[in-house]
Every structure is written in structure tokens, then in C-alpha cells.
């Protein structure tokens, strides 16, 4: 039997067939089966729904599908009934029955079970998460039906590699992995290089605690990532990409593996992609899960089979990356934006967000907040709107003390700075970073020094140990903070902390050490009063400290 | 084009260098002193100790001299007040990380960490010291490792892998828990890859690896690497 | 110049081995010169009960290991202009501080010294000053003005530091401050 070789025109055909197939159904029940909802019984729920529609004899008009994350993780398991986007929260098998009978059979949405979602979704702007919770990540057809792979087709038929890069340049897209480096510029470096082979690495390490945007993305819409990689490969002349992720993401790995396999079957990956001259392979690489393994030179070491330890740059990966070859390393969210930009044009994209910071950004909202979860907002939105509108504020009517933005090495911002806009430059001025998009909300029940110590602890245990400032310096910061918390701090410690923090950020080898002191630097900047209260008055506003006092120092 | 010498300035002195040379190499050539600990001529650079950081005019960042290649027109400052201060902090951190009691250390008077502290004026350590109890392995016939004095410069690992070709030594764990490990966490006496060539003991800058019953001043020999490399070239 | 107009000097010995004092005495004949310039108001060799007030320079040998030393340190700091940590024990904790590696280091050393190694009547003595949980270098418990590391510091270094201080200059320790 001859294996069918798919060509460019087949994408359109697949899309049409799938759209027709889906149109035959009046309802579609999307059961969120992502890492958040599965532990709450989502897979069982999926089976229940499948059984129920048969029992109720509505299988002809209702499709049940498993999807990725909707974003309202605190309300899981979550089920969405289309059309209309009715989000049902905390669904149990009993509630499932009610939903099927009332909503599907009788056409009456079950108001009492609906998720109060107005602001949560309205203030968001879901671009990279456009398909999250809407399509089945295991079915490539579902992705293609929403316009998937049409950007690739457009590139292969109507755009030269340089035109692709130009389109990205016009869009103003900047890396979403933390540093915000212009993506088009990175690509041009490598495109200009005439050595081969060249490589692309999709960075799906995501080691920040409490951050799960990239994982969610990969679990919900794996083909957007693969399409982004393909377009990047076409633009820079690479034939091989690695998706670097951690072994702790079993679901994402499974979904990606199957997606890669399916794409290969459809000739979207492999030799002569869709009948063109492009060759492109994607391989999954698993790391053991260390925060530092997300740093680009550490990824390179890890993919090459060595210990994930950063090395100094220059040389940058663009000139000497994987096995010394030109390499582009890109965050998963950055890559998922690519197909959209090609589809809709760079100009369209550049109008979203702010002029210098275009597009959207995903954030994981956690901590003391009513509505935690994964959100996507336009760049430039004020932090206050994210916390109080989308996140619906602090539980129990407590006061917000600080918001830590940028993950464990982000900055602790006080209430008065919440109106600053979320973009790379504004965040830097106030001492925070975009990082990979973690926002942790801290209420007035927490001691700010204890909070800073919590994040320093994380960096101490995640430091790779290569360079002195990060390995030992952070440990010393931790010890000093511990002493202050126990009530054994010295007045000079404030000075020492600030000197040591600046030293560590200026002398560390990689981004981990360079940013790790941020929580200390920003709390010293915005909450100095609390440090002084601890030191001079043995007073802690949150009444948490001084449990282990020792002999006081003299003189 | 690559053969043309590069012109640059180090501490106000006009110098010229070959393509691909590092700041440290050029400075050495011109007798300009930049302190180093992890770097050792002949081994690949590691850039971990951060003692060799220098300033480049026009950039707010600091650059490790041991790995940063020179470029034409660079203006390098190796001894600003800030750098001096930072080097002292760096040494203080190393001294406080593990148990360094020089008076009872085998490497007393023959230790690069001790020497540098002296040279750069570290007269006390303002951080509280950690008094560690890491394992000491003295099971080998004559090689001993005392991890309480290790500064994780990885010279031993690199010399073992790159010069001897045995790759007996490597790192395990991470961060403050990083340790030099032998084979797959074996005792040195049980190692099946160690050739007992002693190079690790020769290049270890501190009293962490030493040879039992041998004067440390006799053991230490930093130049063994460049000596061997030169010999091998002559072949 | 009358005796009491001369600058005053005090030397104290905490938990150290007295090696720093020996090194001090090793200044040899120059000691005579020094004696002309300063008045020694407190030292292990001088029979004064209380630490005087307004001492210009105090050299402290040894680490802080017990409560008595801690209160003495407080007294010294209050009565001294320029406090100098003399020798590695005062500067780093040195050998005495090796017990810090044990969680119950204070108990462990007492047990080792008075119980494990004693044949007759092994018991931890009462009435001696209570040991602190940890051993501290001076600057962890008070403000120190100058540090003269070394085990012991060379007599040249000690002389240099004293000469500079007496001349009203700050000693520069670069290149001469060797631990161990
Ligand atoms: C300690 C550390 C951890 C990082 N972790 C990640 C990560 O988990 N995911 C990621 O995309 N980038 C991470 N980065 C940033 C990468 O080094 C790199 O800048 C990024 O992947 C580039 O892609 P972008 O231009 O699309 O942002 C990390 C950087 C550092 C210093
Ligand atoms: S900054 Fe920290 S994580 Fe980065 S290389 Fe240095 S020790 Fe490793
Ligand atoms: S290794 Fe060097 S610095 Fe450490 S105790 Fe020995 S002599 Fe001192
Ligand atoms: S044992 Fe010696 S050579 Fe090896 S890393 Fe430690 S200090 Fe460096
Ligand atoms: S010598 Fe350059 S970092 Fe150690």
C-alpha cells in the first residue's frame, strides 16, 4: 500500500472536512483535561459525559471533547458548553447529569452551576490561549479547523524567509521567556549565518514555582507550538528543533509526542514538508527539572547531554549554540504567537499592547487572590486591574500588602505601585521583571521579610553552584534574613543586605543569580520600615517573627 | 582580516592582541595583574569564581576576564574601587562558605585562597561563617579529599578530564550542596577510573585535595598543565 | 611628659592560646621604645581588677566562647576608643570555633574534656562560666575597629599596627594580612 503523501492543498481539505463534521453538532461539551483538572477527576468526567449523551440519546447532536485548560483553575473540574461559552465549575458526575439533561436535552443552561466569568474573561485578550479549552489537543484536525497550519502554508507558498522575518519585525514581538529580546533580531542573526546545520530549541522548562502558563499552552494547543517552530525553521534555515521540557510534565510530554507523531503522518514534519523542499524535524528532550535548566546556555548543555550549568556569554547561542552551531532558543509562548502574526499580519499584532511592548502576555495568578488561574492580558495593562478586576481582589476583604511579579526573582511591589503598567521597561524601573509571568499576591497577614526569605530560599536551592556570588552570596542573604526573623539581626544588616544584593546581581554568571536578589532589593526599597521595625523595635506587623531569640548583641 | 592584531586599552595602557585572545591572556602578556582562582592556563575556562571580573568602559556590566574575548577599541579597567571591593566580598564569601581554619590546614602558606585574601586585603570576613561537616575521603592509598576546604573551582575535574583523560572526578548536587564526587559517588579507594596521577592534587588551589605524607609545598604545581601541554605539542 | 598623659594601651586574652601575646612580646627590644610611648593599663601581666575607662587602644586576643567573656567584651568596648582584634581567634573564631560544626558544640567540648578523657572522677565542672552555644569572632558580637589576622600575627604586623594607630593613621592591611 502506498502511503499518502500530503501536500499543501490537503490542509485546506482537512479543515473543510473537519468544519463540516463539527457543524453537524448543535452542542459541544468541552471537558478540561489539563494537569489542573485531571487530579480533580476530569478524565472520569469525560467518560461520564460520553455515557450520558448516549443514555439521553443526544449523541447525534452533541459532541463531547477533551480539551486543554480554560484558565479558571480554582473552579475545576471545568466544563464548557458550546456554543455560547457556558463555563460550568466544580462539575461532579451528578452535576454532569443535570447539565446534559437541562442544557443539552432541554436547551436550558444551568444557571446555578455557571462560573461567574464576566470580568475574568472580558478584560483578557486571549491570543496564544485562543484555542485553550476550545480544541482537543490530541486531534490535529481540530487545530487545522480553526485555521491551524494555514500560516505555515502561507509562508511556504507566498513568503520568502526574509519576508517572514520582516513580518515578525513589524509585529514588534519580543521574547516571552523573560528578557524580552526582539525575536526578529534573534532570527536575523542566525538567518545571516551561512553555517549549517542550525537548530531551534523551544524552551518549555518553566522552572518557576507556581507558574504554569507554558505547560498549559503545550497541553492545550501543541500544534501552535509546532507550527511556530516550523515557521521559525523556515525563516532561519534550520531543519531540526528540540522541545526542551521537564520530566515532571507527563501530560504535556504525552500530548506533544502524539502531536509530533501525527504531524509526521500528515507530512507536516519530516522530509519535504507538505510536498515542498523544506525539511524539518522536531524532537522532544526531557530534563530533570531544575529552574536553572531554563537558562539558554544551560539548556544547550542539557540537550547535549551534560550537566545543566550555564556558561558565560558571549559567545551567544546565535553564534555558538547546540554543538557549536547557530541556534535560536525561544520561549514556547513566543513561538505560539508566530502563526497568528503570519496569519493576521505584523501590523495587526503591533496594535495590541503598547508601542514598545506589543501583543499579550500570559500570567499565572497565585497567592492570596480570589480568582487564581491562568490569564492572558494585553501588554501595558495596569497591575491593579489584573489583581482586582480579573483576579477579583484579596480573600476575606484583607488588604493587599505587595504583589510579587516575575517569579521567584521578581520584585515585590507595594500597593502604590500597582498602577504601573505591565511591560518590560516599566517593570524594570520599579525593580521587578517580567520573568516567565508569575504574579504572587501577598496580603497583610504576611511578614515582608519572611516573604523575601521564601523566594531567596527557592533560589538558594535552585542555584547551580557554579559561581561564587550566587552559590554563597544568596546563602548568606538567607542566613541574614533568618537572623532578622529570629530577632537576632544587627542594625548593620540592612546595609550588608543591600550591598550583598547589589554585588550578587552585578557579578553572577547567569540570569538566576543576577535577578535572585530582586525580592530583597525591592523589599528594602519599598518596605524598609518593616526591616527597621524588626531590628530596632523587635516588632513584626504580621506578628510572625522572633520565635527563636538568642543573647542580644552588644555595643 | 582575522590575523590583524586587535588594538585596545587596559588600565590606560595601549596594548595589542591576537584575535580570539581573552582579556586575561592579554593582560598577562603585558604584566597587568588580574586576580583569578578557577582559571588555570591550559584548561578550559570555567568562569565560576568571579574574581577576575573587569569593567569595560561604556558598559554597566562586569565581564569575566578569563572568558571574555578582546575586541578592537575596548577600554578595560581592571582595578577600580568597586572591583577591589567586589573581589574582597567574593573572597569573603568563599572563606565563609566552608570550614577554613588556615592555622590547622594542611595548605597553610601554600594556598591560593589564603594568598589572595592576603594580597587583596581581606583582613576579616563580615559574614557569619558556615562550619561544615562534609565528608573527608582518605581511603585512597595516598590521595585525600577534604570537601570542607573545597571552593568548587573545578580545576581538579577539568585536569582529570582534559589532561589525564580519566574523568574520575565530577560534580554532584547543586548550589551550596555541590560536591566533588568520585566515579559514581564512590570512595576514592574504590575508584576504577582513577589512575592515581596526582594532577588534581597539584592543581587544587586550596587544601581540599592533598597527598598524604607529602609536603604540600612539594605537591602543589600549577604549571603541570602547561608543562604537559607543551611536551605533547613537541611530539 | 608625665605618665598619665601618655596614650593608654590594654591587652586582653579571651579564648586563644596566648600565642598572640607571645608574638607581641617578640617585638623584643623595640618593646622598650613602645613602653616609652604608651602606658599599659590592663593586661594579663598587670594586677588591675577592673577594666579602666577611656583606653585609647585595646588589643583582644581570642574568640568569645562564654558568658563571662561576652560581658567583658561589653565592658571593654565601652571603655575603649580603638578596639583591635588580634589574631585569627579574635578575627575568625579559629580553632576554638571548630566546635560550631556540632549542634551541641558547647556540651560536646565539655564532655570531651572533662568526661571522655578523664580517668578520675569524670564530671563536667560547675561554677565555671557558662559556655555560649556557638563560638564567635569579636566582630559578630561588637564593633571592631581594626583586624590583625594571623596565627599568630607576626610581631612586625603588631608593631606596624600600633605604630600607625599611635601616629593617628589607619593601618593598611593589604598584602600583610595573612590568615593562619
Ligand atoms: C534561571 C533562568 C531560568 C529561565 N527559565 C526559563 C524558562 O523556564 N522558560 C523560558 O522560556 N525561558 C527561561 N529563561 C530565559 C531563557 O534563558 C531565554 O532567554 C529564553 O528562553 C529565550 O526565549 P525568548 O526570547 O522567546 O524569551 C530562563 C532564564 C534564566 C536565567
Ligand atoms: S548565577 Fe547561580 S545559577 Fe547562574 S551560573 Fe551562577 S551559580 Fe549557577
Ligand atoms: S584551604 Fe586555604 S584558606 Fe582554606 S583553611 Fe586551608 S589554607 Fe586556609
Ligand atoms: S577539590 Fe580543589 S581543585 Fe577541586 S574543586 Fe575543590 S578546590 Fe577546586
Ligand atoms: S578566574 Fe575568571 S571567573 Fe574564576
Amino acid at each position: 500500500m502506498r502511503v499518502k503523501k500530503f501536500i499543501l492543498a490537503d490542509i485546506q481539505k482537512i479543515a473543510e472536512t473537519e468544519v463540516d463534521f463539527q457543524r453537524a453538532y448543535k452542542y459541544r461539551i468541552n471537558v478540561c483535561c489539563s494537569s489542573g483538572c485531571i487530579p480533580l477527576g476530569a478524565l472520569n468526567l469525560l467518560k461520564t459525559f460520553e455515557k450520558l449523551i448516549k443514555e439521553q440519546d443526544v449523541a447525534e447532536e452533541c459532541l463531547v471533547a477533551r480539551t486543554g485548560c480554560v484558565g479558571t483553575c480554582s473552579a475545576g473540574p471545568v466544563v464548557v458548553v458550546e456554543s455560547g461559552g457556558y463555563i460550568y465549575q466544580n462539575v461532579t458526575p451528578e452535576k454532569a447529569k443535570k447539565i446534559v439533561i437541562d442544557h443539552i436535552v432541554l436547551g436550558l443552561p444551568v444557571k446555578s452551576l455557571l462560573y461567574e466569568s464576566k470580568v475574568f474573561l472580558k478584560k483578557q485578550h486571549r491570543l496564544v490561549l485562543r484555542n485553550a479549552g476550545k480544541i482537543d489537543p490530541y486531534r490535529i484536525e481540530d487545530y487545522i479547523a480553526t485555521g491551524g497550519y494555514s500560516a505555515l502554508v502561507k509562508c511556504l507558498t507566498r513568503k520568502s524567509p526574509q519576508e517572514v522575518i520582516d513580518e515578525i519585525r513589524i509585529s514588534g514581538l519580543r521574547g516571552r521567556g523573560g528578557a524580552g529580546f526582539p525575536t526578529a533580531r534573534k532570527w536575523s542573526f542566525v538567518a545571516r549565518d551561512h553555517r549549517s546545520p542550525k537548530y531551534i530549541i523551544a524552551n518549555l522548562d518553566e522552572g518557576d514555582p507556581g507558574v504554569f502558563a507554558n505547560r498549559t499552552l503545550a497541553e492545550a494547543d501543541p500544534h501552535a507550538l509546532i507550527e511556530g517552530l516550523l515557521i521559525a525553521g523556515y525563516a532561519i534555515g534550520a531543519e531540526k528543533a528540540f522541545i526542551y521540557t521537564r520530566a515532571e510534565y507527563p501530560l504535556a510530554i504525552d500530548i506533544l509526542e502524539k502531536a509530533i507523531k501525527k504531524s509526521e503522518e500528515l507530512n507536516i514534519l519530516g522530509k519535504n514538508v507538505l510536498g515542498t523542499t523544506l525539511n524539518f524535524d522536531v524532537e522532544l528532550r526531557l530534563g530533570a527539572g531544575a529552574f536553572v535548566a531554563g537558562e539558554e546556555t544551560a539548556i544547550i548543555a542539557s540537550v547535549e547531554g551534560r550537566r545543566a550549568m550555564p556558561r558565560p556569554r558571549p559567545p551567544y547561542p546565535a553564534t555558538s549554540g547546540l554543538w557549536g552551531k547557530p541556534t535560536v532558543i525561544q520561549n514556547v509562548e513566543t513561538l505560539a504567537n508566530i502563526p497568528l502574526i503570519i496569519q493576521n499580519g505584523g501590523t495587526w499584532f503591533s496594535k495590541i499592547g503598547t508601542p514598545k511592548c506589543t501583543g499579550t502576555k500570559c500570567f499565572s495568578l497565585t497567592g492570596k487572590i480570589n480568582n487564581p488561574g491562568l490569564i492572558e492580558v494585553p501588554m501595558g495593562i495596569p497591575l491593579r486591574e489584573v489583581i482586582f478586576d480579573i483576579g477579583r481582589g484579596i480573600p476575606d476583604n484583607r488588604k493587599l500588602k505587595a504583589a510579587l511579579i516575575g517569579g521567584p526573582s521578581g520584585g515585590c511591589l507595594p500597593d502604590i505601585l500597582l498602577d504601573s503598567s505591565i511591560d518590560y521597561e516599566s517593570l524594570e524601573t520599579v525593580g521587578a521583571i517580567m520573568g516567565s509571568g508569575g504574579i504572587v499576591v501577598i496580603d497583610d497577614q504576611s511578614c515582608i521579610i519572611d516573604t523575601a526569605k521564601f523566594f531567596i530560599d527557592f533560589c538558594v536551592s535552585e542555584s547551580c553552584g557554579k559561581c561564587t556570588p550566587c552559590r554563597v552570596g544568596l546563602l548568606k542573604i538567607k542566613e541574614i534574613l533568618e537572623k532578622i526573623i529570629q530577632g537576632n539581626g544587627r542594625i548593620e544588616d540592612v546595609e550588608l543586605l543591600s550591598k550583598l544584593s547589589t554585588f550578587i546581581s552585578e557579578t553572577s554568571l547567569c540570569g538566576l543569580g543576577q535577578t535572585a536578589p530582586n525580592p530583597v532589593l525591592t523589599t528594602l526599597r519599598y518596605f524598609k520600615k518593616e526591616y527597621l521595625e524588626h531590628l530596632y523595635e523587635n516588632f513584626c506587623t504580621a506578628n510572625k517573627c522572633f520565635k527563636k531569640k538568642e543573647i542580644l548583641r552588644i555595643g | 582580516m582575522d590575523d590583524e592584531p586587535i588594538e585596545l586599552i587596559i588600565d590606560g595602557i595601549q596594548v595589542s592582541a591576537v584575535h580570539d585572545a581573552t582579556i586575561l591572556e592579554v593582560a598577562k602578556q603585558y604584566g597587568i595583574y588580574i586576580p583569578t582562582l578557577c582559571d588555570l592556563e591550559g584548561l578550559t575556562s570555567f568562569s565560576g569564581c568571579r574574581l577576575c571580573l573587569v569593567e569595560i568602559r561604556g558598559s554597566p556590566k562586569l565581564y569575566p576576564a578569563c572568558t571574555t574575548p578582546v575586541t578592537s577599541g575596548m577600554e578595560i579597567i581592571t582595578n577600580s574601587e568597586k572591583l577591589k571591593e567586589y573581589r574582597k566580598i567574593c573572597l569573603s564569601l568563599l572563606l565563609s562558605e566552608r570550614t577554613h581554619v588556615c592555622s590547622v590546614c594542611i595548605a597553610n602558606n601554600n594556598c591560593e585562597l589564603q594568598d589572595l585574601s592576603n594580597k587583596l586585603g581581606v583582613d576579616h570576613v563580615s559574614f557569619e561563617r558556615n562550619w561544615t561537616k562534609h565528608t573527608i575521603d582518605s581511603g585512597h592509598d595516598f590521595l585525600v579529599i577534604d570537601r570542607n576546604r573545597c571552593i568548587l573551582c573545578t580545576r581538579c575535574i577539568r585536569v582529570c578530564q582534559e589532561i589525564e583523560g580519566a574523568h574520575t572526578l565530577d560534580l554532584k548536587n547543586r548550589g551550596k550542596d555541590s560536591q566533588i564526587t568520585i566515579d559514581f559517588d564512590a570512595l576514592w579507594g574504590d575508584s576504577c577510573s582513577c589512575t592515581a596521577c596526582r594532577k588534581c592534587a597539584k592543581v587544587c588551589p586550596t587544601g581540599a585535595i592533598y597527598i598524604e605524607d607529602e609536603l604540600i609545598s612539594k605537591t602543589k604545581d600549577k604549571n603541570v598543565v602547561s608543562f604537559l601541554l607543551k611536551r605533547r605539542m613537541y611530539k | 611628659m608625665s605618665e598619665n598623659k601618655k596614650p593608654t594601651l590594654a591587652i586582653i586574652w579571651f579564648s586563644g592560646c596566648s600565642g598572640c601575646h607571645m608574638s607581641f612580646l617578640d617585638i623584643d627590644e623595640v618593646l622598650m621604645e613602645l613602653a616609652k610611648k604608651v602606658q599599659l593599663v590592663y593586661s594579663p601581666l598587670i594586677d588591675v581588677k577592673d577594666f579602666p575607662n577611656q583606653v585609647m587602644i585595646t588589643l583582644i586576643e581570642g574568640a568569645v566562647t562564654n558568658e563571662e567573656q561576652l560581658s567583658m567584651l561589653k565592658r571593654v568596648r565601652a571603655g575603649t576608643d580603638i578596639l583591635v582584634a588580634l589574631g585569627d581567634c579574635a578575627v575568625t573564631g579559629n580553632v576554638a570555633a571548630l566546635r560550631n560544626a556540632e549542634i551541641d558544640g558547647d556540651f560536646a567540648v565539655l564532655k570531651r574534656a572533662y568526661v571522655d578523657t578523664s580517668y578520675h572522677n569524670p564530671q563536667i565542672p560547675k561554677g565555671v562560666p557558662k559556655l555560649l552555644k556557638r563560638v564567635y569572632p569579636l566582630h559578630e558580637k561588637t564593633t571592631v575597629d581594626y583586624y590583625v589576622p594571623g596565627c599568630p600575627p607576626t610581631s612586625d604586623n603588631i608593631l606596624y599596627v600600633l605604630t600607625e594607630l599611635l601616629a593617628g593613621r589607619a593601618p593598611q592591611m593589604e598584602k600583610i594580612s595573612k590568615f593562619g
Side-chain angles (χ1 to χ4, degrees), chain B residues 101 103 109 114 118 125, chain C residues 94 102 139 175-176 178-179:
Chain B
V101 180
S103 56
N109 295 333
Q114 187 189 33
N118 173 5
V125 173
Chain C
N94 208 11
E102 303 290 334
H139 65 271
K175 302 213 165 60
I176 59 167
K178 182 183 148 295
F179 295 112

Side-chain angles (χ1 to χ4, degrees), chain A residues 351-469:
Chain A
K351 291 196 182 116
I352 306 164
T354 69
K356 278 180 99 178
C357 254
T358 56
T360 59
K361 176 88 187 82
C362 297
F363 286 98
S364 312
L365 258 183
T366 54
K368 296 285 173 57
I369 188 142
N370 279 319
N371 231 352
L374 176 67
I375 59 164
E376 183 178 351
V377 288
M379 290 277 190
I381 190 175
L383 197 46
R384 194 179 298 284
E385 277 181 33
V386 171
I387 295 174
F388 287 97
D389 295 346
I390 301 176
R392 290 222 325 258
I394 323 292
D396 310 328
N397 280 326
R398 298 209 72 98
K399 266 189 67 184
L400 176 137
K401 181 175 225 165
L404 183 114
I405 170 157
S409 45
C412 265
L413 305 183
D415 187 72
I416 48 158
L417 286 177
L418 289 194
D419 294 310
S420 44
S421 99
I422 303 187
D423 62 74
Y424 295 100
E425 282 73 26
S426 310
L427 287 179
E428 203 179 311
T429 2
V430 293
I433 53 171
M434 187 77 78
S436 48
I439 298 179
V440 185
V441 181
I442 296 148
D443 73 2
D444 57 358
Q445 281 170 301
S446 307
C447 164
I448 206 74
I449 302 175
D450 195 45
T451 308
K453 191 182 121 359
F454 177 82
F455 293 109
I456 290 289
D457 277 356
F458 175 79
C459 290
V460 165
S461 59
E462 291 294 321
S463 159
C464 81
K466 177 166 183 169
C467 68
T468 316

